[in-house]
Amino acid sequence: MDEKVHRFRNNDKAIALGNPAWDEAQAHHLIDLRVRVVGNDRLQEVDTGFPFVNLSSCSYLGLHNHPAILEGAINGLRDAQVLWVPVSRIRMRLAIMDQVEEGLSEIFRAHCIATTTASAATAGVLPLIASRHLLDGKAPVMVFDRLCHFSMNLIKPICADETTVLTSPHNDLNYIEDACKKYPRVAYVADGAYSLGGTAPVEGLLELQDRYGLFLFFDDSHSLSVTGAMGEGYARSLMPDQLNPLTTIVASLGKAFGGSGGVIMLPSAKHHDLTVRFGGPLAWSQWPNSAGLGAALASIEIHKSPLLRELQGKLRENLAYFDSRIQTAERGDNSSIRLVVIGDEMLTSEISGEIFRRGFYTSPVFFPVAEKGKAGLRVMIRADNNLEDLATFCDAVEGLTAARCKDAEVAVA
Ligand SMILES: *Cc1c(COP(=O)(O)O)cnc(C)c1O
């Protein structure tokens, strides 16, 4: 076979490895659920009427059903008199789009572009980094962290058509420093907070940036709004007010931010137009719609108010309670995600199914999302979980894992 094929992607392999676990999850009634919202963190299955607490939601601050955000969405729609103006934003845009970008730029201390999704932002930005159009000087060698989110890995083959692309071991500062010594310019691509818990070694990376001119791209979807005085996210919160010219951050506005769409944080206005014009999906016919933009304006106001701090505090309290009951590698971590490792994939679905019958949905995760042999329950804690529910949930996790996995890596605190 052509040796240029399957350098960065192999669906045969990925599907053969991943699909049996999806089938198992389906057999345990853990996917394809039809639901309606019946409370803050509560859903109800439409077909059975079964109510449950959703511990698999990225709405870490519980903002998605905040009345101000819903009202914002309605106002956005009412003021625009249209959900959607299907023309490229290069040509024209609703005035509310500028208001949202100005608001995001203020709270995140960067030049912000609002996008339809975080993945569209990534698809737009990464190839322009690879071709050196978002930085001065030479095209960089790109180093992707091995555990980068799928939305970044998806763009790897496109980047590899512009420059050399390497994959680093997870969070390996030595590997990145060696690359910086070897190549005149390196761009490192990573998550700020990872989907399976844990964060990037941002402080060490900033040191490498100072020393070697390392370009940094972070996708901080999981920590936006959750971390930082203005909810700017984990990576941005560790950076100076003026974003280094060698830094770009993208994040989803559909997670803790409480809205929909995504954001790109750029260091200056200089690359704004180029990013929009040549960023592929950023310039096609969809940009955030009027309801999404109205919701974003309302969320920006919440980010500027004491409510943000209050919700961040509640989330920390809930995480501290969970950590006091269940031992995970992420204990005490900045992220809202905890991975309770079970090990065996089938046992993971079985335990997850039993926990669901007790009224809590947590997603079982397997290879290739989790590392081989490290299947487990991905628990996503929120500000709007109440402590009694969390206590009942921890009882279930403790009881089931102790009873079922004799040599599981789960340790009960
Ligand atoms: C959820 C997530 C995405 C996808 O966000 P969309 O806005 O749905 O495109 C991308 N990257 C990371 C790290 C995520 O967690």
Side-chain angles (χ1 to χ4, degrees):
M1 192 182 291
D2 184 346
E3 62 188 26
K4 294 233 171 73
V5 163
H6 293 322
R7 284 195 306 144
F8 297 103
R9 187 173 176 117
N10 187 335
N11 276 346
D12 264 347
K13 230 175 169 172
I15 292 170
L17 284 166
N19 223 18
W22 280 121
D23 290 340
E24 186 67 14
Q26 191 165 38
H28 285 279
H29 193 60
L30 292 167
I31 61 174
D32 294 334
L33 307 182
R34 298 202 302 158
V35 299
R36 68 170 73 89
V37 176
V38 290
N40 52 343
D41 59 354
R42 281 176 158 65
L43 300 175
Q44 181 184 38
E45 249 199 291
V46 173
D47 300 326
T48 60
F50 180 66
F52 60 95
V53 175
N54 182 11
L55 292 176
S56 190
S57 161
C58 298
S59 190
Y60 303 118
L61 298 180
L63 281 177
H64 270 97
N65 36 13
H66 193 285
I69 290 189
L70 297 181
E71 200 53 38
I74 292 164
N75 289 339
L77 185 53
R78 200 174 275 138
D79 292 349
Q81 296 285 311
V82 68
L83 179 63
W84 187 230
V85 184
V87 53
S88 169
R89 66 163 290 178
I90 300 175
R91 300 186 189 284
M92 58 191 87
R93 58 191 180 273
L94 292 170
I96 189 178
M97 182 79 171
D98 286 358
Q99 276 177 275
V100 167
E101 290 188 341
E102 279 158 24
L104 294 172
S105 299
E106 182 191 339
I107 59 176
F108 299 147
R109 293 170 291 141
H111 291 266
C112 290
I113 299 176
T115 63
T116 48
T117 61
S119 20
T122 294
V125 163
L126 286 184
L128 290 171
I129 294 171
S131 65
R132 62 142 177 76
H133 289 92
L134 287 190
L135 43 115
D136 297 321
K138 290 206 170 76
V141 165
M142 287 183 96
V143 177
F144 284 65
D145 189 279
R146 189 173 65 81
L147 298 188
C148 266
H149 190 264
F150 196 177
S151 56
M152 285 163 263
N153 285 334
L154 191 68
I155 311 304
K156 254 184 180 177
I158 303 173
C159 295
D161 218 29
E162 295 278 0
T163 188
T164 303
V165 169
L166 306 172
T167 302
S168 71
H170 181 49
N171 280 352
D172 190 339
L173 287 171
N174 290 330
Y175 181 100
I176 303 157
E177 181 161 14
D178 287 346
C180 289
K181 287 177 180 162
K182 196 164 160 194
Y183 306 105
R185 173 78 80 207
V186 175
Y188 180 58
V189 178
D191 298 25
Y194 281 84
S195 308
L196 291 186
T199 51
V202 176
E203 279 133 327
L205 290 165
L206 292 175
E207 259 180 64
L208 294 181
Q209 182 170 64
D210 283 344
R211 225 176 309 146
Y212 300 98
L214 173 67
F215 188 97
L216 292 172
F217 172 94
F218 290 110
D219 176 343
D220 226 350
S221 293
H222 283 296
S223 77
L224 197 80
S225 307
V226 165
T227 308
M230 296 292 265
E232 65 273 25
Y234 179 62
R236 182 73 188 95
S237 74
L238 297 174
M239 295 172 182
D241 269 349
Q242 173 57 50
L243 203 55
N244 186 302
L246 296 174
T247 305
T248 296
I249 298 170
V250 309
S252 182
L253 299 180
K255 292 183 175 165
F257 186 81
S260 70
V263 60
I264 306 172
M265 303 180 205
L266 292 169
S268 72
K270 191 171 130 194
H271 299 305
H272 181 286
D273 290 353
L274 194 81
T275 304
V276 171
R277 286 180 192 171
F278 294 95
L282 306 182
W284 297 336
S285 74
Q286 290 208 55
W287 28 282
N289 65 44
S290 61
L293 290 167
L297 279 187
S299 180
I300 289 166
E301 287 312 310
I302 290 175
H303 280 65
K304 294 201 261 187
S305 78
L307 181 59
L308 182 78
R309 280 272 145 162
E310 195 186 306
L311 293 173
Q312 287 177 334
K314 277 193 186 155
L315 173 61
R316 301 262 128 74
E317 276 171 33
N318 285 346
L319 283 164
Y321 176 78
F322 180 84
D323 285 347
S324 76
R325 295 280 314 267
I326 309 288
Q327 171 77 56
T328 64
E330 295 77 34
R331 174 183 272 194
D333 192 288
N334 256 300
S335 150
S336 331
I337 302 167
R338 299 289 184 267
L339 187 65
V340 180
V341 177
I342 309 279
D344 180 75
E345 314 216 320
M346 301 308 156
L347 186 58
T348 297
S349 270
E350 209 180 301
I351 290 179
S352 189
E354 179 54 33
I355 289 175
F356 183 48
R357 280 188 286 282
R358 298 185 191 187
F360 300 91
Y361 187 92
T362 55
S363 32
V365 289
F366 324 92
F367 185 85
V369 176
E371 290 180 71
K372 203 114 196 90
K374 293 217 171 162
L377 309 176
R378 180 164 70 160
V379 180
M380 299 158 95
I381 305 287
R382 302 164 51 157
D384 58 341
N385 297 137
N386 69 55
L387 281 178
E388 299 90 89
D389 285 337
L390 285 179
T392 313
F393 172 70
C394 290
D395 290 344
V397 172
E398 256 177 24
L400 288 165
T401 50
R404 309 300 289 283
C405 8
K406 287 182 206 82
D407 15 75
E409 285 170 56
V410 141
V412 173

